[in-house]
């Protein structure tokens, strides 16, 4: 796992959209960039969240540094500028890049987050701060709200005011973003707002997996999905065979929809322990020291073989 963040640590949050058909090329580019950044002074670790259409179409890259100076040095470095220039032909529109101080509530990931950047008209900063307090109070009462970060501009580095909203689900976030209350508040901010931009980031199963150590590439979402399926399948099957069928539905007469719901709750609770433990045993595949097609293939074949063994074993059990 990544080392604890020192005092003054920051995260560079980058959101970008890739042209259709260039996804794999961009993934290769991102892996190469990850390898290039690994040796920089002050670099602590990186997390890459792939798009999850249709809710999230952006790539979200989180790069952690031990200080704002180290983050700014990376953003302004000839190495990064050369890397970014090489990727421009694969991208749609502008990137959103922000530096956010690390805090006890973290930056990302959450089940779903909205990263909102706002540029204020000169001289309207006090009015914006007053308005921001009002919308912060309103959104804290929204269903599913989990947290909020608000950061002022960093002169010479980041000219936008940055807000990060964290919610427990896509539905609850979208409900707040489309709410009449929020639309009314946004209309009130128009007199002192020059530019407003919001993008959504989803975390998927990241909360169950340890972040890669310094210098290691981020974990691919498809690998995480395979690990979760490898554990979810036997948990659901065995709970259904040993508990849901004979006890919940048989002995106690609980209706199938309720029994199924109970089974899902138990499965999720068990995965909270099983996935972190298993992901450590598969760290050689989830977070290899360097990208390797051969290593990817070996891990994939191993998990597919485990799938086959589980299916064959469960087929032989009495139903």
């Amino acid at each position: 796992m990544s080392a604890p963040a020192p005092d003054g640590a920051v995260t560079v949050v980058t959101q970008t959209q890739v042209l259709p058909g260039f996804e794999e090329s961009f993934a290769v580019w991102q892996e190469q960039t990850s390898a290039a950044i690994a040796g920089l002074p002050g670099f602590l670790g990186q997390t890459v969240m792939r798009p999850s259409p249709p809710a999230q179409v952006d790539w979200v890259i989180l790069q952690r540094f031990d200080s704002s100076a180290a983050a700014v040095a990376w953003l302004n470095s000839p190495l990064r500028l050369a890397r970014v220039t090489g990727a421009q032909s694969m991208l749609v529109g502008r990137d959103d890049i922000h530096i956010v101080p690390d805090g006890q509530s973290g930056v990302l990931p959450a089940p779903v987050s909205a990263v909102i950047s706002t540029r204020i008209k000169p001289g309207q900063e006090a009015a914006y701060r007053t308005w921001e307090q009002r919308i912060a109070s309103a959104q804290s009462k929204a269903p599913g709200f989990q947290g909020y970060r608000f950061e002022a501009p960093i002169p010479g580095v980041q000219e936008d005011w940055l807000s990060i909203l964290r919610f427990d689900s896509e539905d609850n976030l979208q409900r707040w973003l489309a709410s009449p209350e929020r639309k009314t508040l946004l209309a009130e901010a128009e007199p002192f707002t020059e530019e407003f931009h919001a993008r959504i980031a989803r975390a998927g199963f990241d909360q169950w997996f340890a972040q890669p150590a310094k210098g290691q590439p981020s974990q691919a979402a498809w690998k995480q999905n395979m690990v979760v399926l490898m554990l979810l399948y036997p948990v659901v099957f065995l709970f259904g065979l040993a508990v849901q069928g004979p006890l919940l539905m048989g002995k106690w007469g609980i209706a199938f929809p309720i029994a199924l719901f109970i089974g899902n709750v138990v499965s999720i609770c068990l995965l909270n322990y099983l996935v972190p433990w298993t992901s450590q045993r598969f760290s050689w595949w989830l977070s290899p020291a360097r990208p390797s097609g051969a290593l990817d293939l070996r891990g994939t074949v191993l998990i597919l073989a485990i799938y086959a063994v589980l299916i064959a074993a469960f087929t032989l059990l009495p139903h």
Side-chain angles (χ1 to χ4, degrees):
M1 294 183 64
S2 299
D7 293 339
V10 300
T11 298
V12 177
V13 182
T14 301
Q15 290 183 260
T16 191
Q17 188 173 346
V18 177
L19 286 167
F22 286 87
E23 293 84 1
E24 292 308 314
S25 297
F26 183 79
V28 172
W29 177 90
Q30 185 58 55
E31 290 179 352
Q32 294 170 346
T33 302
S34 299
I37 195 177
L40 293 182
F43 178 70
L44 297 176
Q46 176 174 272
T47 299
V48 177
M49 303 179 196
R50 287 174 173 254
S52 180
Q56 177 194 327
V57 296
D58 297 332
W59 289 70
V60 181
I61 300 99
L62 311 178
Q63 297 165 329
R64 298 175 60 246
F65 291 85
D66 63 8
S67 68
S68 179
V72 172
W74 157 245
L75 291 176
N76 294 330
S77 67
L79 171 62
R80 178 183 174 275
L81 296 178
R83 297 292 306 161
V84 170
T85 299
Q88 287 302 313
S89 62
M90 296 184 282
L91 305 181
V92 178
R94 73 173 214 180
D95 288 349
D96 275 0
I97 302 174
H98 304 286
I99 299 178
V100 183
D102 284 358
Q104 61 180 6
S105 61
V107 181
L108 293 173
V112 63
S113 302
V115 181
I116 301 172
S117 57
T118 307
R119 188 159 298 182
I120 303 304
K121 295 178 181 178
Q124 296 295 319
E125 292 79 9
Y128 179 71
R129 280 188 176 274
T130 300
W131 174 86
E132 183 68 28
Q133 292 174 359
R134 294 175 55 212
I135 196 170
S137 175
Q139 66 199 13
S140 67
K141 301 180 181 69
F145 177 81
Q146 288 194 337
Y148 175 62
R149 291 291 299 273
F150 176 60
E151 301 294 341
I154 302 175
V157 178
Q158 173 182 304
E159 302 304 323
D160 295 343
W161 296 72
L162 180 66
S163 302
I164 299 178
L165 314 182
R166 301 170 62 245
F167 278 76
D168 64 355
S169 71
E170 173 75 20
D171 287 343
N172 281 331
L173 173 60
Q174 292 293 353
R175 189 175 294 112
W176 163 248
L177 294 179
S179 67
E181 183 178 12
R182 180 174 181 271
K183 290 180 178 180
T184 299
L185 287 165
L186 291 179
E188 294 175 3
E190 289 179 359
F192 44 83
T193 300
E194 188 173 280
E195 185 178 349
F196 175 87
H197 191 60
R199 301 175 95 156
I200 292 175
R202 298 182 61 85
F205 294 123
D206 286 346
Q207 68 271 19
W208 282 336
F209 292 84
Q211 292 192 9
K214 179 177 178 179
Q216 292 182 327
S218 60
Q219 297 176 359
W222 64 270
K223 292 183 179 181
Q224 294 179 345
N225 293 342
M226 289 188 72
V227 171
V228 171
L229 177 60
M230 179 179 66
L231 297 170
L232 183 61
Y233 174 59
V235 167
V236 171
F237 183 92
L238 293 174
F239 183 85
L241 185 66
V243 179
Q244 181 175 314
L247 293 180
L248 298 184
M249 298 173 61
K251 184 176 181 179
W252 297 330
I254 297 176
F256 174 73
I258 300 176
L260 181 61
F261 177 80
I262 294 173
N264 288 338
V265 171
V266 171
S267 299
I268 293 298
C269 291
L270 289 175
L271 290 183
N272 282 327
Y273 298 96
L274 293 175
V275 174
W277 185 88
T278 304
S279 66
Q280 292 179 3
R281 275 69 190 170
F282 279 85
S283 60
W284 57 272
W285 179 62
L286 290 165
S287 302
R290 59 184 57 86
S292 169
L295 200 62
D296 286 350
L297 180 60
R298 285 200 295 271
T300 302
V301 170
L302 174 59
I303 291 187
L304 290 175
I306 293 174
Y307 290 168
V309 170
L310 289 172
I311 292 172
F314 292 160
T315 301
L316 298 176
L317 291 176
H319 294 67

